[in-house]
Amino acid sequence: MKKTINFSKGFVPSVILSSLVILFGLVGLFVKGINFGIDFKPGLIEEVRVSSPSASLSYTGPAKVAVNLSKSDMEVVVSGTGAENATYTYSFNEYQNMGALASAVSSIEGVEMSAKDASVTTFNSFLNSAATNVLSSTPIYVYPAGVSKASSDDVRNALSGVSGISVKQLGSETDTSFQIRMGVDGDSTQAALQSVVEDTLYNKFGKENVAVVKTDFIGSSFSKSIAGKAILMLILTVLLIWVYAAIRFHWDFALGSVIALIHDTLIMMTFIIWTQMEFSTTVLAAVLTIVGYSINATVVILDRIRYNLKMMENVKSFKEILNQSLSDTLVRSILTTVTTLIAVIALFVFTTGTIKDFSLALIVGLLCGMYSSIFISSSFIMACRKNWKPEFGVHHSLKKAQEADAE
């Protein structure tokens, strides 16, 4: 027979310890605050490419000449006083390389298009959206689709001196761009943020070699909306778990499991607040992962308690059933947590950036989840059932049924 460990002796100290840690977290919330990442605060989102231009365009003359470029054609619009207003459209199906396109566009009076590599395909070419599309004696550049001259690490290193920057690679090797996110710092405007990012990249890679694909600015109302939805998602997750546990078990079992989940979330937030880890959508994913992982560990214990309630005889208090159930599932709880920790620790050691934060939050959550499944939820259930009395009639009936089956 397995040895029964008296876990109930640790219930009161555990509740006191957890309460103090959570209180410490609340103090940190007012003293330090949450270090929200750029996913939860207003800021700049800019998509850029680092590539050598495939052609240049310039104009000398009195008219106004604008160039519009799509994935399948180039449109040159000539207008203004004293000019022959006209729109010239060049389909890339007809002009499939930069050499042919440059020759055709250069036939417009005053316009000069020079191909840097005549063999480059015209399809999916683009302009720098940060520069004007109106031609002048100062050339503007056309950029080709294709492999970037820089990697995401190169762009990240170039912007390392700018605080609050996040870089993400978009697309595949044949069509690569980089999404740069930067949160608002104080009274910074969109133009100021954009200027900081672009000037830094220009200095690193050369102005001709950096093209902005598109720029968006997230306002404070939108960022608050994202944060609100994240909180709502967490609340709904916990609520649905409570409904599931209430249907499968008893109301006090369900409430105990939810208290353990809330406990795990608050402990993780305490760690995040005091370490000033950036709270991003990746860290939020870690919190939600632990919510799911913790309820799984708790359900195993609750299922064992329910089983022992029916099968254990000659017990005088609910505490005996609880201690026996926790002892029965202890090895399983430890092995499950340790095997998962091995994988998560490997992530923490061998990765960088947001994945490292994700794995660190998971490590804290895994340890906290095992602790709360054993001590926090169980202590609440025992408090609810302090006046519990064994149902001798039920045990007697079960015993008779087992004897009948044996015969």
Side-chain angles (χ1 to χ4, degrees):
M1 184 176 179
K2 291 182 180 179
K3 180 182 178 181
T4 301
I5 302 172
N6 191 5
F7 287 97
S8 58
K9 282 187 176 181
F11 287 169
V12 173
S14 297
V15 170
I16 294 173
L17 175 63
S18 294
S19 299
L20 291 175
V21 173
I22 292 170
L23 181 62
F24 186 59
L26 290 174
V27 172
L29 181 62
F30 292 102
V31 173
K32 287 180 170 289
I34 301 174
N35 180 24
F36 283 110
I38 55 180
D39 299 316
F40 298 104
K41 62 184 181 182
L44 174 74
I45 301 179
E46 189 166 70
E47 183 181 346
V48 302
R49 295 197 184 196
V50 181
S51 177
S52 297
S54 55
S56 62
L57 283 158
S58 61
Y59 172 73
T60 53
K64 178 182 178 182
V65 180
V67 176
N68 300 312
L69 199 61
S70 69
K71 292 183 177 181
S72 58
D73 61 58
M74 174 185 283
E75 187 179 75
V76 180
V77 181
V78 181
S79 61
T81 305
E84 181 181 351
N85 295 334
T87 299
Y88 304 90
T89 302
Y90 302 93
S91 172
F92 294 158
N93 287 319
E94 182 178 356
Y95 304 96
Q96 297 186 6
N97 59 68
M98 282 296 167
L101 181 63
S103 297
V105 173
S106 295
S107 64
I108 302 174
E109 185 179 354
V111 176
E112 181 180 353
M113 182 173 181
S114 175
K116 296 183 179 294
D117 186 346
S119 63
V120 172
T121 181
T122 52
F123 288 97
N124 296 320
S125 297
F126 61 96
L127 299 172
N128 184 355
S129 66
T132 179
N133 68 332
V134 177
L135 299 183
S136 66
S137 57
T138 301
I140 65 171
Y141 298 99
V142 178
Y143 295 87
V147 180
S148 172
K149 289 181 61 177
S151 66
S152 56
D153 287 337
D154 293 332
V155 176
R156 198 172 287 116
N157 291 335
L159 295 168
S160 60
V162 183
S163 61
I165 283 282
S166 171
V167 179
K168 178 182 178 181
Q169 181 173 319
L170 303 177
S172 63
E173 291 184 357
T174 57
D175 192 17
T176 305
S177 61
F178 305 99
Q179 184 187 77
I180 299 170
R181 299 172 67 100
M182 182 179 182
V184 170
D185 184 16
D187 297 326
S188 300
T189 62
Q190 177 180 353
L193 293 177
Q194 190 172 354
S195 177
V196 169
V197 171
E198 292 171 5
D199 289 346
T200 304
L201 293 178
Y202 292 159
N203 290 335
K204 175 64 177 179
F205 302 108
K207 190 170 183 179
E208 290 185 9
N209 298 322
V210 177
V212 178
V213 180
K214 63 179 180 179
T215 303
D216 295 307
F217 190 79
I218 299 177
S220 57
S221 59
F222 184 74
S223 60
K224 289 178 181 178
S225 173
I226 295 176
K229 288 178 181 178
I231 295 171
L232 179 62
M233 179 171 59
L234 182 60
I235 292 173
L236 288 176
T237 301
V238 173
L239 181 62
L240 289 172
I241 288 173
W242 176 81
V243 171
Y244 160 76
I247 293 173
R248 182 170 178 181
F249 301 104
H250 194 262
W251 71 266
D252 54 347
F253 283 26
L255 195 53
S257 63
V258 167
I259 288 174
L261 296 182
I262 295 173
H263 166 273
D264 296 344
T265 303
L266 292 177
I267 296 296
M268 289 183 72
M269 290 305 300
T270 298
F271 177 80
I272 291 167
I273 288 170
W274 281 102
T275 58
Q276 284 295 284
M277 178 189 296
E278 186 179 86
F279 189 79
S280 62
T281 50
T282 305
V283 174
L284 175 62
V287 174
L288 292 175
T289 300
I290 291 303
V291 167
Y293 187 92
S294 180
I295 190 61
N296 180 62
T298 304
V299 163
V300 171
I301 295 173
L302 297 182
D303 193 60
R304 191 66 184 183
I305 295 171
R306 182 176 61 177
Y307 174 82
N308 286 337
L309 275 171
K310 296 178 180 179
M311 302 307 297
M312 287 181 65
E313 297 184 2
N314 303 320
V315 292
K316 297 180 180 179
S317 67
F318 185 75
K319 180 170 65 175
E320 295 178 46
I321 295 175
L322 198 55
N323 285 329
Q324 184 61 53
S325 302
L326 292 172
S327 299
D328 292 344
T329 56
L330 178 62
V331 174
R332 183 264 180 200
S333 298
I334 293 175
L335 289 178
T336 304
T337 302
V338 169
T339 51
T340 309
L341 270 174
I342 292 172
V344 177
I345 290 172
L347 273 178
F348 177 74
V349 172
F350 297 109
T351 60
T352 58
T354 56
I355 299 300
K356 197 175 189 72
D357 290 342
F358 174 80
S359 55
L360 181 57
L362 280 183
I363 291 170
V364 175
L366 286 170
L367 295 173
C368 183
M370 183 178 69
Y371 158 78
S372 67
S373 297
I374 295 173
F375 291 102
I376 303 303
S377 62
S378 300
S379 63
F380 175 81
I381 295 170
M382 193 177 81
C384 290
R385 300 205 175 198
K386 61 182 178 180
N387 297 321
W388 177 87
K389 300 295 182 184
E391 299 178 15
F392 294 105
V394 173
H395 295 306
H396 182 72
S397 299
L398 286 171
K399 186 176 181 180
K400 289 293 185 182
Q402 291 171 352
E403 289 174 353
D405 291 339
E407 295 175 357

